[in-house]
Amino acid sequence: MSSSTPRLEVDGLTVTFSGLTALDDVGFTVGDGETVALIGPNGAGKTTVFNAVCSLVRPASGSIRIGGRRAPATPTGLLERGVARTLQGLGLFESLSVLENVLVPLSGRRDGSGRDAALETLQRLDLAADAATPVAALSYPARKRVALARALATRPQLLLLDEPAGGLGPDDIAELADVVRTLSAQGCSVLLVEHHVDFVMDVADRIVVLDFGRVVACGTPDEVRADPAVEAAYLGLEAAA
Amino acid sequence: MDRIAFLLATGLARGLVIALFALSLVIIWRAARIVNFAQAAMAVVAVFVAFAVTALTDSFWLGLVAALVAGAVVGYAVERWLIRLVPARTPLPGMIVAIGLVMVLQAGIGIAFGPQHRPMAAPFSEQPFTVGGVPVLSPYDLFVLLVALGVVGGLALLFNGTTLGLQMRASAMAPEVSRLLGVRVPRMVTLGWMLSAAVASLAVLLLVPTELGLNAHSGDVLFVHAFTVAVLGGLDSPVGALVGGIVVGVLISLVTGFLGAGLAPIAVLALLTLVLLVRPGGIFAVKEARTA
Ligand SMILES: Nc1ncnc2c1ncn2[C@@H]1O[C@H](COP(=O)(O)OP(=O)(O)OP(=O)(O)O)[C@@H](O)[C@H]1O
Ligand SMILES: [Mg+2]
């Protein structure tokens, strides 16, 4: 694929839920190896963007292209298109072990390479010692890492992270930032939703700001920080909090 | 004393058959969140196929293989062409359709083969071995016991030791998340139905030689006992189905031996009532199952 084709291209995306317009004409791109942050107040539609990219919700209109081709029609097709995602609510298999959780996306491999790939990923995220532990027995930060490991295990080209820093302390966030930077250096494109402003400013190449389902600002961290529209959107957030 | 050894041993063999059938209900419940009331009727259809194969080939063993294959085919057909068309937002429609299916299958078998019981010969003697003059277990009971244990072991290996088993467990726990991870959830559901119906067919096949014979209702009592067991053990728990099956089998055997066969169903019901009063979720119920 030529470098001019973005890894992810969202154009004119509109999603409605029985009358409620959750997304209204949203457009942005994520290039190869680029890290883009999607920010905005609660209910702005960030997770809905992920759900549309993953074919979990059907857009009313608009197009989503992954690597220059239309997004797969069902979530099951994402894996072979090099897309992996974490969920806002973790979505781990609580009664399965850490290793089993990470093995699930690798379980379709016929050549038996799944186990090695899983163990390697656990090693990388410092989870190897907990491989046999049921997820339910882990601390929250460790479970966050399992969710990340499960997404990374398939070596995606496009990684969607829904609030990866949520509920983490400064040390864990610094480690997470390292992981994201490393992925980016390896050419993986990252789209992340995050409320943690310092983390976003630290890792994002570009930021897309959503408010009430619309893109209200878009640009580098510095550009976005200086944009009055962003302040307006976040003042609303602070008044609500 | 002698009597107890015999009753315990036969109770164990019978209990494992109940456990197998209960396991089949657990497999379907985990895969599709349906209590499959049609399980016995579906199994009987497969056992009729097995009966025909045995009659044609004179081989119990080919009949046994036929029961497994036919069971899987019936499971496939019911899931793909019936259950999949039923709205799955709540469990009720699926269960109602399953109950309807019982009527259709049993009436169909009745019309095709009549109401009479067709005797089925056991491949081994049903005369108990004696140990020091005490009768314990018949060769056929021993065979049933070994087959049941083999199947239980095989299922444990499948679910806990293979990637296919992992996919089946993952899609049962969180179908939506599993789809995002590339698991073909509908295929796992179909496989669950096939596996479950095959196991149930085997259980009915093992039971028939020790009962009156084969007719449309041959699986009914087994279903009631296995359903009791599945509720006792918690519908999500394979271990519960296994332990519960043995407990109910031994209970039936002891009550039948000491108090008379007529009291056995009442004893089973009493046990069910007791457990539901103490642990409404079942003895082995855990609060996990569906995450995300
Ligand atoms: N499946 C759905 N059915 C109906 N409404 C939905 C659905 N999913 C999202 N919504 C609504 O769409 C809007 C956007 O929700 P979304 O989850 O995308 O917000 P978000 O930006 O991720 O918020 P948060 O920061 O709280 O996670 C909200 O008003 C939400 O209630
Ligand atoms: Mg969200």
Side-chain angles (χ1 to χ4, degrees), chain B residues 116-287:
Chain B
Q116 72 273 27
H117 290 269
R118 288 153 197 271
M120 205 165 179
F124 299 101
S125 160
E126 290 183 64
Q127 287 303 311
F129 295 117
T130 52
V131 177
V134 180
V136 271
L137 195 69
S138 76
Y140 184 67
D141 281 340
L142 185 63
F143 163 72
V144 167
L145 227 139
L146 291 177
V147 171
L149 284 177
V151 172
V152 169
L155 287 174
L157 199 66
L158 170 68
F159 281 110
N160 297 308
T162 70
T163 51
L164 179 65
L166 178 63
Q167 289 178 318
M168 291 178 78
R169 281 194 295 158
S171 30
M173 284 182 227
E176 206 71 322
V177 175
S178 300
R179 285 168 67 202
L180 280 170
L181 298 171
V183 178
R184 298 182 195 286
V185 174
R187 187 177 296 179
M188 296 305 135
V189 173
T190 308
L191 277 174
W193 275 83
M194 293 171 69
L195 187 65
S196 165
V199 171
S201 303
L202 179 67
V204 172
L205 182 78
L206 291 176
L207 186 75
V208 167
T210 64
E211 305 280 308
L212 285 175
L214 181 61
N215 85 349
H217 297 279
S218 290
D220 290 3
V221 172
L222 181 58
F223 175 82
V224 172
H225 289 160
F227 181 65
T228 307
V229 162
V231 174
L232 286 181
L235 272 167
D236 260 313
S237 166
V239 176
L242 187 62
V243 176
I246 293 170
V247 167
V248 168
V250 169
L251 177 74
I252 291 172
S253 183
L254 289 178
V255 171
T256 305
F258 287 114
L259 305 172
L263 284 178
I266 296 174
V268 173
L269 272 180
L271 181 64
L272 178 63
T273 312
L274 192 71
V275 171
L276 287 183
L277 282 175
V278 182
R279 289 284 309 258
I283 299 208
F284 293 83
V286 274
K287 288 187 202 62

Side-chain angles (χ1 to χ4, degrees), chain A residues 1 7-8 30-33 53-54 65-67 69-72 74-86 105 109 150-161 183 187-191, chain B residues 180-182:
Chain A
M1 183 188 38
R7 174 58 37 202
L8 174 69
V30 183
D32 275 340
V53 171
C54 296
R65 303 181 78 78
I66 296 169
R69 286 195 293 142
R70 272 182 54 181
T74 64
T76 318
L78 290 167
L79 190 79
E80 59 198 34
R81 296 287 292 277
V83 183
R85 164 185 184 176
T86 64
R109 294 192 180 180
R150 191 173 68 179
L152 289 185
T154 54
R155 298 196 167 269
Q157 291 169 295
L158 173 62
L159 181 63
L160 311 175
L161 301 174
L183 284 169
C188 176
S189 308
V190 180
L191 177 63
Chain B
L180 280 170
L181 298 171

